[in-house]
Amino acid sequence: MASDNSPNLKWRFPTKLILVDFDETLGKFAWPGVPDEPYPEAVEGLRRLSAQGFTIYIFTTRAWPGWIEIDGREFYDRTRREMVEWLDRWGIPYHGITHEKIPCKFIVDDRALNPNLHGWPRIVEIIEGSGSDPYGKTRQGNEDG
């Protein structure tokens, strides 16, 4: 087995793997449940990227196992099943679902703060002004509420 310092151990960046958030990126936020329909541009865009050989993972906190302790196994399993059925029903290409930030070329997410785009002073200002809830509402609320 090669050590981490071995010159034979080379790390290859996954240049064709992207993470795509579920809520407010593929469709309008709906909790509990799933959006009525996806954003048409999201479906078209992901199909195009898939056809070009990109590996697509749905990157969502809905898949975080910690929800099992909070909401129970049955609710967690139902939520995940609804998400998978929704993705399949609308023909959205994906290779897996994760809550982990895995090595990828891009992350597509409505909640991303990019220091190269926004700058750290603006990011700190945004975070300080957000309160404790990143969606600006309680978990049981709706996106417009």
Side-chain angles (χ1 to χ4, degrees):
M1 182 169 162
S3 72
D4 289 343
N5 297 325
S6 169
N8 297 326
L9 185 63
K10 293 184 179 177
W11 187 70
R12 294 184 318 130
F13 194 79
T15 59
K16 295 284 247 178
L17 193 149
I18 59 173
L19 299 178
V20 180
D21 184 35
F22 186 80
D23 292 304
E24 279 300 316
T25 303
L26 293 179
K28 188 169 174 58
F29 180 84
W31 184 264
V34 292
D36 291 332
E37 59 187 34
Y39 298 134
E41 299 86 3
V43 176
E44 180 182 323
L46 290 177
R47 287 179 181 164
R48 181 175 170 174
L49 292 170
S50 180
Q52 293 175 33
F54 281 88
T55 299
I56 300 164
Y57 273 77
I58 306 302
F59 177 54
T60 177
T61 59
R62 289 178 183 237
W64 178 53
W67 293 124
I68 295 168
E69 286 186 40
I70 296 168
D71 294 325
R73 167 61 78 176
E74 184 179 327
F75 187 80
Y76 173 81
D77 289 345
R78 184 175 73 239
T79 298
R80 192 170 171 101
R81 185 175 54 252
E82 287 173 348
M83 186 174 47
V84 167
E85 289 170 354
W86 186 86
L87 291 164
D88 292 345
R89 178 173 63 247
W90 291 101
I92 297 172
Y94 68 99
H95 296 86
I97 298 172
T98 185
H99 71 282
E100 297 177 312
K101 182 180 172 187
I102 58 178
C104 63
K105 181 70 173 180
F106 293 103
I107 298 174
V108 182
D109 190 337
D110 65 307
R111 301 290 174 185
L113 297 174
N114 183 334
N116 295 315
L117 177 63
H118 304 291
W120 271 106
R122 178 64 180 135
I123 288 173
V124 171
E125 182 181 290
I126 291 168
I127 293 170
E128 288 174 338
S130 71
S132 63
D133 186 352
Y135 284 97
K137 65 193 166 318
T138 61
R139 227 172 126 233
Q140 262 59 36
N142 63 40
E143 189 65 18
D144 296 327

